[in-house]
Amino acid sequence: MDGTNSDPGPSRGEQAEAAEREAARRRLLEQAEADRVPVDDTTRAVPDRRWRRDHP
């Protein structure tokens, strides 16, 4: 054994790509949270069946 590590781990380029992916993921999550509509602000859909009365 010569003391060298056969698996040196991720290279600097791989580490930079991983950091960029993580930053992009966080930005997307932040944007999705900002665009989210709270449940209280939504209304329940009620079917409109009036047209059936006009056309038996």
Side-chain angles (χ1 to χ4, degrees):
M1 299 226 147
D2 60 1
T4 59
N5 188 352
S6 62
D7 186 14
S11 68
R12 274 199 252 166
E14 291 170 335
Q15 289 174 347
E17 287 179 15
E20 288 174 12
R21 279 194 303 272
E22 179 64 20
R25 185 183 72 83
R26 288 177 190 243
R27 282 193 305 271
L28 285 171
L29 288 173
E30 289 171 3
Q31 181 180 1
E33 181 64 24
D35 293 343
R36 187 177 66 85
V37 176
V39 173
D40 296 340
D41 293 349
T42 61
T43 58
R44 188 170 64 105
V46 178
D48 186 6
R49 301 182 188 268
R50 286 178 287 181
W51 63 272
R52 291 188 181 179
R53 284 188 238 144
D54 298 337
H55 301 87

